[in-house]
Amino acid sequence: METEFHRLLGTPTPGGVLVVSDHASNRVPDDIDLGIDPALLNEHIAVDIGVAAIAERMVEHPGAIPTAAWLGNVSRLVCDFNRKHDVPGMMPETSDGHTIPGNVLSPAQRQARVDRFFDPYHAGLTGVLDDAPPALILSLHSFTPALRTSDQPRPWEVGVLYNEDERAARIAIAWLEAQGFVVGDQQPYSGKLLNASMNRHAEPAGLPYISIEIRQDLIRDPAGQAEWADVMTRLCAAVVAALGEGAQ
């Protein structure tokens, strides 16, 4: 199911896995002009490269725990769903050194985007979680090997972020390290600071979640996306099984 603000893949199942990817699309509605070079819509400032394809493959993965995906359907430059309700970065005027002229908005214009995109996205996700509480939410993102504004490389292949609820994250970090991956514990940034969607939907309800960041050079092509979809599917199965054992 697709709307202006989200795509729902698969059928959410109680006790299954729900992949949530706030930045899965670079779509800009025809009536919004960001005032930028269209080529920038294929860069990280506009979309989490690779995550939509990974989510699609996870939903279709044979033998997986029942998995559905809730994907943002507009660019993060139009409206960043993984932000608190009132922060300027929800519609950034600059991003990674680029100016976004179309995001110089009046309070009324900002509120119009909140009403059109942000609120329906989160209301819909609340409804899915209420109707079919998952055993695990996988909050799926990707990160650049380095920022345009910094020459400092990011060595981690995958990062695991969390805020107050560390249950699933601790299991995930240990599992990924055991597979031989270079894992960032609260890297390349901290979930204590950037965890808005999970702070809103998972933490208050006590729903186990892992926030995953995958380095984009690993998932730019179909082969990498297929490989990491398999990794994420196996990771989710391992985390759900471990959480179940811990509850006994």
Side-chain angles (χ1 to χ4, degrees):
M1 181 178 68
E2 180 173 324
T3 72
E4 188 172 36
F5 53 84
H6 84 278
R7 295 167 60 208
L8 176 62
L9 309 179
T11 303
T13 304
V17 171
L18 183 68
V19 181
V20 175
S21 189
D22 301 318
H23 306 143
S25 176
N26 65 355
R27 174 176 168 267
V28 179
D30 292 340
D31 59 344
I32 292 178
D33 181 8
L34 295 175
I36 61 174
D37 182 344
L40 290 177
L41 293 176
N42 295 317
E43 300 291 335
H44 179 69
I45 65 169
V47 61
D48 274 356
I49 292 165
V51 297
I54 291 174
E56 290 165 2
R57 285 167 169 78
M58 290 182 69
V59 171
E60 298 169 355
H61 197 288
I65 296 173
T67 301
W70 180 269
L71 309 181
N73 199 34
V74 294
S75 171
R76 67 197 302 173
L77 294 178
V78 173
C79 185
D80 191 331
F81 296 128
N82 191 31
R83 289 292 183 270
K84 293 182 179 179
H85 203 283
D86 56 351
V87 299
M90 186 188 290
M91 296 128 202
E93 295 183 10
T94 62
S95 182
D96 200 12
H98 296 283
T99 300
I100 318 298
N103 281 350
V104 179
L105 304 170
S106 70
Q109 290 170 323
R110 288 180 58 84
Q111 187 60 48
R113 286 202 201 171
V114 170
D115 294 343
R116 179 177 175 183
F117 301 113
F118 188 90
D119 285 349
Y121 176 86
H122 285 290
L125 179 51
T126 295
V128 167
L129 294 171
D130 287 347
D131 291 343
L136 180 69
I137 301 172
L138 171 64
S139 178
L140 187 60
H141 299 266
S142 65
F143 68 96
T144 56
L147 289 173
R148 188 181 303 274
T149 52
S150 172
D151 59 3
Q152 187 71 23
R154 291 164 155 179
W156 313 281
E157 294 170 287
V158 57
V160 180
L161 279 58
Y162 48 88
N163 190 6
E164 297 299 324
D165 186 349
E166 301 182 10
R167 289 174 295 167
R170 289 300 171 198
I171 298 166
I173 291 167
W175 187 91
L176 288 163
E177 288 178 339
Q179 307 302 306
F181 293 111
V182 179
V183 183
D185 180 347
Q186 296 285 47
Q187 299 288 352
Y189 21 74
S190 172
K192 302 289 184 182
L193 302 175
L194 292 174
N195 202 50
S197 284
M198 293 300 97
N199 288 346
R200 180 182 184 125
H201 294 285
E203 295 261 3
L207 291 172
Y209 73 92
I210 42 177
S211 291
I212 292 288
E213 297 270 355
I214 304 171
R215 206 175 67 212
Q216 288 171 359
D217 58 312
L218 303 175
I219 55 173
R220 279 188 174 272
D221 59 38
Q225 292 156 7
E227 177 184 352
W228 278 89
D230 181 66
V231 172
M232 290 294 101
T233 297
R234 292 187 291 114
L235 169 64
C236 288
V239 171
V240 169
L243 289 169
E245 292 171 1
Q248 294 176 1

